[in-house]
Amino acid sequence: MRVLVVTKLFPNAAQPLLAPFNRQQIAALAGLADVRVLATIPYFPGATRAGPIPMQETIEGVPVWHPRTLYIPKLGLPVAPALYMASLVPYLRSHFLWADVVLACWAYPDGAAAIGLGALTQRPVVVKVHGTDINDVAQRPQVRPILKRVLPRAHKVIAVSQGLARAVQALGVAGEKVALVPNGINRACFYPRPQAPARASLGVPNHARLVLFVGALVKTKGVEDLLAAFASAAVHQPDLQLAMVGTGALRARCEQMAEAFPGRVFVTGALPAAQVAQWMAACDLLTLPSYNEGTPNVVLEALASGRPVVATRVGGIPDVLTDDALGQLVPKQDPVALAEAWHRVFKGGSGTPQHISAAAPGDWHASAKHLHDVLMSVRA
C-alpha cells in the first residue's frame, strides 16, 4: 500500500522537535507501507520562516517534501483550504496519483484541502484529528461551517480519543466513518527509572517535591494557572519545586517565576525525548492543566515512566487517567484545585511506578498497525 501523508505538523531541518507524535507514528507506519510525506510549510510572500527549510529531506528513513502553502495572516481562515489546495497542485501527478490512500494529519486546513484534492485525483482520504484542530479551530465561526460541509466527505476520520470521536460526529461525520486509533509511546525511552541518579544529573535535590510540566508555554496549556498554583503552594511548601520543559509566548513569565523562586524553578526550553525522559525520571509527578486536549502524548509518556499525572478533565485525558492510582483529574482554570491535587499525590495517593507504567498504552508500532488497518480498509 502506498500512503501519502499531508500535514503541517511534521518536523523539518529548522524545527526538528516539531510534532514528535506524528514523526514516530509515521516512521512506524513506514515499516508496514510505502510512505511519502508532504510536510507543508505555511508561507506568506516576504516571510523568512521558510528560508532554512529544504524542499526535500529524509526523516527516519521516510522521504519528506516541504511544499510552501500560501496563507493570509489573521484574515485567511475562510480561504485557507483553497490556498492550501492551490499550493499542492504541482504535486498531484507525482504524489497524489501515486498514492493508494491519502492521510491528512490535522483537520483544517490540511484535512479539508486533502479531501478536495482527493476528489480531483479519485483517491480516498483519511483525516486524523488531534485535539486543538477540533476543540479550538473547528469551533471558530469562520471554520465550523466549512468543516461541517467538507469533513463528512472523508472516507474515514481517525480520532485519538473518545472525546474527539464524539466531537467529530457533532460535525456531521457518520459514526461508522470514525475510527479510534490511540497514540503510542517510545517505550525504549520512557520507562520507570531510578529517581536519584536522574536528579543528580539535573541538579535536583533528593528531598524536593518536583512537579514537571512538558509542553508549549502558552495560555491554553494552562501555564498561567500552573504558575499561580506553584506561587501559592510554594510559600507553605519549601521543598516544592517546578520544572517547565518547552517554549512559547509565556516563557518570559516562567523565567520571572524562576527569578522569584531562585533554585526552585527550572525553565529548560524545548528538549529532545531522551532529555525529557530524564526529567520524567526526576519528577514526583507530571502536571498538565490544559484548557483542551486530544490525548496528549506527554501524559502517556509520564505513565510509561511510572509517574502519576495531575491534569485537567478535558479531551481524552479522563480516558487515560481512569483511577486515582494513576493520578488526579481537576477542573480547568482552577489553580487551587491543581495545587491541592499535587499535595494529595505527594502524600502517597498513587500507585507504584511499575503499576503506573503497566497502565500506559503500547508502543508506536502497535499504534501504526492500527492506523495501517484503517488505511487498508479504504485504499483505492
Side-chain angles (χ1 to χ4, degrees):
M1 177 173 60
R2 295 185 298 250
V3 181
L4 176 63
V5 178
V6 178
T7 182
K8 63 176 174 285
L9 285 183
F10 207 78
N12 55 63
Q15 298 171 294
L17 301 181
L18 180 66
F21 48 89
N22 271 339
R23 173 183 55 78
Q24 293 175 98
Q25 188 181 52
I26 298 308
L29 178 65
L32 303 169
D34 191 356
V35 177
R36 296 179 181 179
V37 180
L38 292 181
T40 60
I41 308 298
Y43 175 71
F44 184 74
T48 58
R49 176 181 174 186
I53 301 172
M55 292 303 298
Q56 184 179 352
E57 59 183 324
T58 299
I59 298 175
E60 293 201 23
V62 179
V64 179
W65 286 259
H66 293 296
R68 276 54 171 171
T69 52
L70 291 171
Y71 79 104
I72 301 173
K74 298 183 180 181
L75 303 176
L77 275 178
V79 297
L83 293 176
Y84 201 110
M85 287 177 63
S87 301
L88 293 186
V89 165
Y91 296 86
L92 291 184
R93 183 178 298 276
S94 58
H95 288 71
F96 281 82
L97 289 175
W98 165 87
D100 295 314
V101 59
V102 178
L103 171 64
C105 300
W106 198 252
Y108 193 92
D110 314 55
I115 290 169
L117 293 172
L120 283 176
T121 55
Q122 297 184 316
R123 293 298 183 269
V125 176
V126 175
V127 178
K128 182 161 74 91
V129 301
H130 294 267
T132 301
D133 53 346
I134 296 299
N135 295 326
D136 180 2
V137 179
Q139 306 310 314
R140 301 178 189 181
Q142 313 99 305
V143 173
R144 190 171 180 84
I146 299 172
L147 274 182
K148 290 189 74 171
R149 184 173 68 253
V150 174
L151 197 58
R153 291 163 45 195
H155 288 68
K156 289 280 187 179
V157 176
I158 293 173
V160 298
S161 71
Q162 293 285 1
L164 276 181
R166 292 189 292 270
V168 163
Q169 292 179 61
L171 289 168
V173 179
E176 62 269 19
K177 281 190 171 185
V178 182
L180 182 64
V181 178
N183 283 342
I185 306 165
N186 181 356
R187 281 194 170 265
C189 188
F190 296 99
Y191 57 89
R193 308 181 190 209
Q195 188 178 69
R199 290 193 166 195
S201 69
L202 295 170
V204 178
N206 282 331
H207 70 271
R209 296 290 194 181
L210 180 62
V211 174
L212 174 66
F213 170 90
V214 181
L217 302 180
V218 296
K219 182 179 179 67
T220 56
K221 288 291 184 180
V223 170
E224 292 176 336
D225 303 321
L226 170 64
L227 296 176
F230 176 80
S232 175
V235 174
H236 308 288
Q237 301 177 46
D239 57 350
L240 183 65
Q241 297 196 2
L242 173 64
M244 290 173 281
V245 176
T247 191
L250 294 178
R251 179 164 180 170
R253 289 273 302 277
C254 298
E255 290 173 341
Q256 289 170 4
M257 184 68 72
E259 292 175 2
F261 291 89
R264 297 179 63 184
V265 177
F266 305 85
V267 184
T268 71
L271 297 175
Q275 293 180 46
V276 173
Q278 278 288 91
W279 281 103
M280 292 281 190
C283 78
D284 291 290
L285 64 87
L286 177 103
T287 197
L288 191 67
S290 300
Y291 297 174
N292 55 69
E293 284 287 355
T295 300
N297 247 60
V298 66
V299 169
L300 306 183
E301 290 164 352
L303 296 179
S305 301
R307 296 298 182 260
V309 176
V310 174
T312 42
R313 191 180 286 103
V314 298
I317 296 176
D319 297 340
V320 178
L321 301 183
T322 53
D323 62 63
D324 289 349
L326 305 179
Q328 300 277 322
L329 292 167
V330 298
K332 64 182 179 180
Q333 296 180 275
D334 192 336
V336 173
L338 188 64
E340 289 175 348
W342 298 344
H343 186 62
R344 287 194 296 273
V345 172
F346 291 149
K347 289 176 65 177
S350 61
T352 66
Q354 290 70 28
H355 171 83
I356 295 171
S357 183
D363 62 15
W364 281 110
H365 295 286
S367 176
K369 176 61 169 64
H370 196 168
L371 174 61
H372 180 265
D373 291 344
V374 175
L375 299 176
M376 284 287 289
S377 72
V378 304
R379 67 173 181 167

